[in-house]
Amino acid sequence: VQLTGHFPIVRIIRVVIALDADGAIIAVFLTGITLYLRFSSQLNTAIQAENQMVMEQVEQSLSTYLRDMLGLADSCSYNVVKGRNVQNEDLTGELMLLYDTYSEYVDSIAVFDPQGNLVATAPAGLLSKDATPQEEPWFSCAVEKPENLHFSQPQVQHVFSNGGSYRWVVPLSSAVELTRGKSTQTGV
């Protein structure tokens, strides 16, 4: 059998098969790129939506925390301290109620006079022997700007003795009106 007369047909068939195979490879390649771009775009959209949701949750959590801390400061100032004679009345019971309510967020609640002497605290605690509250930034900010609430930088709580364990805290301070006998003074 001689193929000399049919050689161009075989060659054409081979070329068609080669082009068809190349076309299939190109089609698979283009389909792969298209799918990659589509899924990549969908993944980016899903990641952006997830990040937005996380940010909204963080915002909600921080808003709730700040609102609770502002409520605690107001309750301490207006419902526990203001109008009470700290010379004759013990504030510890009311401070303990506030502490129990906010114990998830609060390490301690304390009231100091202008010289940094402890007036009341919850939970009950002793000042560290080297504690000088009046020299702390949270104390001086509250004294200098009594109309504001002051959040200070995170720090290790070292004002109260805790049996050698000291936790990180974010101090919140505000000025309070302390009544001693017939005189009033600004405490923290």
Side-chain angles (χ1 to χ4, degrees), residues 3 21 53 78-79 112 121 125 142 175:
L3 298 175
M53 195 167 30
Y78 296 110
N79 299 336
F112 296 95
T121 184

Side-chain angles (χ1 to χ4, degrees), residues 99-154:
Y99 174 79
D100 288 340
T101 303
Y102 295 99
S103 62
E104 182 178 333
Y105 304 119
V106 176
D107 189 60
S108 61
I109 303 172
V111 179
F112 296 95
D113 69 12
Q115 291 75 36
N117 299 315
L118 184 64
V119 174
T121 184
L126 298 173
L127 285 178
S128 298
K129 57 184 169 191
D130 58 343
T132 52
Q134 70 279 9
E135 295 175 9
E136 296 288 336
W138 52 263
F139 191 97
S140 57
C141 284
V143 170
E144 291 167 9
K145 294 184 180 179
E147 67 280 0
N148 295 336
L149 295 175
H150 304 275
F151 284 96
S152 298
Q153 292 182 348

Side-chain angles (χ1 to χ4, degrees), residues 36-46:
Y36 170 77
L37 293 174
R38 184 175 176 196
F39 290 135
S40 177
S41 173
Q42 287 177 347
L43 182 62
N44 283 338
T45 302

Side-chain angles (χ1 to χ4, degrees), residues 8-9 55 63 69 72 102 109 125 127 135 161:
I9 293 175
M55 290 302 294
S63 294
M69 292 302 96
L72 171 62
Y102 295 99
I109 303 172
L127 285 178
E135 295 175 9
S161 298

Side-chain angles (χ1 to χ4, degrees), residues 2-177:
Q2 271 189 332
L3 298 175
T4 52
H6 299 283
F7 184 69
I9 293 175
V10 171
R11 187 174 221 187
I12 291 172
I13 292 172
R14 284 184 185 164
V15 168
V16 168
I17 290 173
L19 288 176
D20 190 36
D22 289 343
I25 291 172
I26 291 171
V28 167
F29 180 72
L30 290 176
T31 303
I33 289 176
T34 303
L35 289 173
Y36 170 77
L37 293 174
R38 184 175 176 196
F39 290 135
S40 177
S41 173
Q42 287 177 347
L43 182 62
N44 283 338
T45 302
I47 288 172
Q48 287 176 354
E50 184 71 24
N51 286 344
Q52 183 65 33
M53 195 167 30
V54 168
M55 290 302 294
E56 289 170 3
Q57 290 172 347
V58 167
E59 177 188 8
Q60 180 66 31
S61 179
L62 279 174
S63 294
T64 300
Y65 173 76
L66 289 174
R67 195 171 34 256
D68 286 348
M69 292 302 96
L70 296 176
L72 171 62
D74 285 346
S75 293
C76 185
S77 181
Y78 296 110
N79 299 336
V80 176
V81 179
K82 190 171 184 170
R84 306 267 309 269
N85 188 344
V86 295
Q87 193 171 12
N88 301 332
E89 298 180 54
D90 186 18
L91 307 176
T92 304
E94 288 85 356
L95 288 179
M96 198 61 199
L97 286 173
L98 286 174
Y99 174 79
D100 288 340
T101 303
Y102 295 99
S103 62
E104 182 178 333
Y105 304 119
V106 176
D107 189 60
S108 61
I109 303 172
V111 179
F112 296 95
D113 69 12
Q115 291 75 36
N117 299 315
L118 184 64
V119 174
T121 184
L126 298 173
L127 285 178
S128 298
K129 57 184 169 191
D130 58 343
T132 52
Q134 70 279 9
E135 295 175 9
E136 296 288 336
W138 52 263
F139 191 97
S140 57
C141 284
V143 170
E144 291 167 9
K145 294 184 180 179
E147 67 280 0
N148 295 336
L149 295 175
H150 304 275
F151 284 96
S152 298
Q153 292 182 348
Q155 62 186 35
V156 174
Q157 186 288 116
H158 61 276
V159 175
F160 294 101
S161 298
N162 290 334
S165 72
Y166 297 98
R167 299 184 341 177
W168 280 92
V169 296
V170 177
L172 168 64
S173 61
S174 67
V176 293
E177 185 178 292

